[in-house]
Amino acid sequence: MRKTALLAASTLVPVIVLVSWWIVQRGNVEDEVLIPADALLYAAVNRFPADLEQMKGSRILDFLDLSEEDLENLRAEFDLTGIYAKVRGHVKRTWICIHGLRRKSSGSYRIEFSVWIQPVPGSCRLVRETALQAVLNRFGKRTSRVVHSPDAVIVRGRETGQVLYCKDLPATLYFSNSRTAWEEFNVRLKEEVRKLQDSSRFQSILRHLPENPDILVYFRGAGILPEFGYAAVFSENGVRDFYYSVEEEEILDRIQNSGF
């Protein structure tokens, strides 16, 4: 009996060590989320609202100073209501990077993005397939081409610029429609990319916002729009907004110091 117990223990210990190591490796989520220092916009969703209606109390779109036409185009471009309802309970956290905007021949803009999704355990396939299905529906199932490799999927549509790269990482699912970002993240260049997380300006803005908010947004600044940080915290009473802009803070300081 004692020999049997010792044999079982000697077999289980290596297994436990290997499983523990695997859990530690998979838990290193932050190392997978590569946000370049020159990203136009970065957003982290640490906790999802019960439904998207709850976001109506948020002022984030007010801070972006978008026209009604821009708002309608944005809603049409990112109508995620159906997908959100299907995957909300299967996603733990999400990180979004807007690399930049490219004007199409039609006059509209193509948003170049990367998204990292951390599924809850056991939901990786559901989240991946739901996202890919949504892309196929948008590109057109009959005219799209899907290429599979051992750890990645590439979907190409008929129109120029219609592409989505998808890769299974140890802890997250990575999606991008930017070839440059895909190559930087996927190949040797990853180690050479300057990260937003290491930027002193980014860190200084974070210090003016709540720690670990439910939603965090950082905008680099473009045109007449200033660099700013935004955070949202959900509660039973709705959404609390927090906003900080370095430029606007400097303007207020100058006004106060001038004696007005």
Side-chain angles (χ1 to χ4, degrees):
M1 184 70 178
R2 185 177 179 183
K3 289 183 179 180
T4 304
L6 287 172
L7 180 62
S10 64
T11 304
L12 283 174
V13 168
V15 173
I16 292 171
V17 171
L18 283 173
V19 170
S20 300
W21 175 86
W22 180 78
I23 290 173
V24 169
Q25 294 300 309
R26 288 189 62 86
N28 224 359
V29 177
E30 303 296 342
D31 290 343
E32 295 182 4
V33 181
L34 177 63
I35 310 297
D38 63 351
L40 179 63
L41 184 144
Y42 161 64
V45 183
N46 298 311
R47 185 168 74 94
F48 290 84
D51 57 63
L52 293 179
E53 290 295 312
Q54 192 173 356
M55 285 301 296
K56 285 188 174 181
S58 167
R59 295 177 293 156
I60 178 59
L61 296 181
D62 297 340
F63 298 137
L64 289 174
D65 195 27
L66 299 174
S67 66
E68 285 298 323
E69 182 180 357
D70 290 334
L71 284 173
E72 288 302 318
N73 291 336
L74 192 63
R75 292 189 183 102
E77 185 77 14
F78 291 98
D79 183 12
L80 304 177
T81 309
I83 298 176
Y84 186 81
K86 188 171 183 178
V87 304
R88 187 188 74 84
H90 298 275
V91 174
K92 187 175 181 180
R93 296 171 70 190
T94 297
W95 298 264
I96 302 167
C97 173
I98 303 298
H99 300 284
L101 305 175
R102 289 195 180 184
R103 186 180 287 273
K104 300 179 183 178
S105 57
S106 62
S108 61
Y109 285 93
R110 179 180 186 266
I111 300 174
E112 295 194 337
F113 66 85
S114 289
V115 176
W116 291 261
I117 299 176
Q118 182 185 17
V120 300
S123 295
C124 182
R125 181 175 180 180
L126 182 147
V127 174
R128 184 201 316 111
E129 296 305 318
T130 300
L132 291 176
Q133 189 62 47
V135 171
L136 283 171
N137 290 338
R138 186 175 181 81
F139 289 178
K141 292 183 180 180
R142 294 183 179 180
T143 55
S144 295
R145 184 163 57 96
V146 182
V147 179
H148 292 267
S149 68
D151 63 347
V153 179
I154 301 176
V155 182
R156 297 187 185 276
R158 180 178 58 183
E159 298 179 12
T160 303
Q162 284 189 333
V163 61
L164 182 79
Y165 305 94
C166 172
K167 184 178 180 68
D168 285 18
L169 300 174
T172 63
L173 292 170
Y174 173 63
F175 299 91
S176 182
N177 71 344
S178 168
R179 181 174 180 175
T180 301
W182 173 256
E183 290 176 347
E184 286 181 343
F185 185 79
N186 208 34
V187 197
R188 296 177 292 277
L189 295 174
K190 175 181 177 181
E191 300 303 323
E192 302 173 13
V193 175
R194 290 179 57 246
K195 299 177 183 179
L196 176 66
Q197 294 95 321
D198 298 331
S199 165
S200 58
R201 288 183 66 87
F202 175 66
Q203 292 298 329
S204 68
I205 286 181
L206 289 187
R207 286 194 288 270
H208 291 84
L209 298 172
E211 189 175 355
N212 298 321
D214 295 325
I215 294 179
L216 171 69
V217 177
Y218 167 79
F219 181 69
R220 188 184 70 208
I224 62 172
L225 296 178
E227 178 186 34
F228 70 82
Y230 166 85
V233 178
F234 301 116
S235 67
E236 295 180 357
N237 299 322
V239 182
R240 290 186 63 197
D241 287 307
F242 301 85
Y243 172 85
Y244 178 77
S245 167
V246 176
E247 293 180 28
E248 293 181 10
E249 186 77 10
E250 290 174 350
I251 292 172
L252 287 174
D253 287 343
R254 285 199 297 269
I255 292 174
Q256 291 173 356
N257 293 332
S258 66
F260 286 100

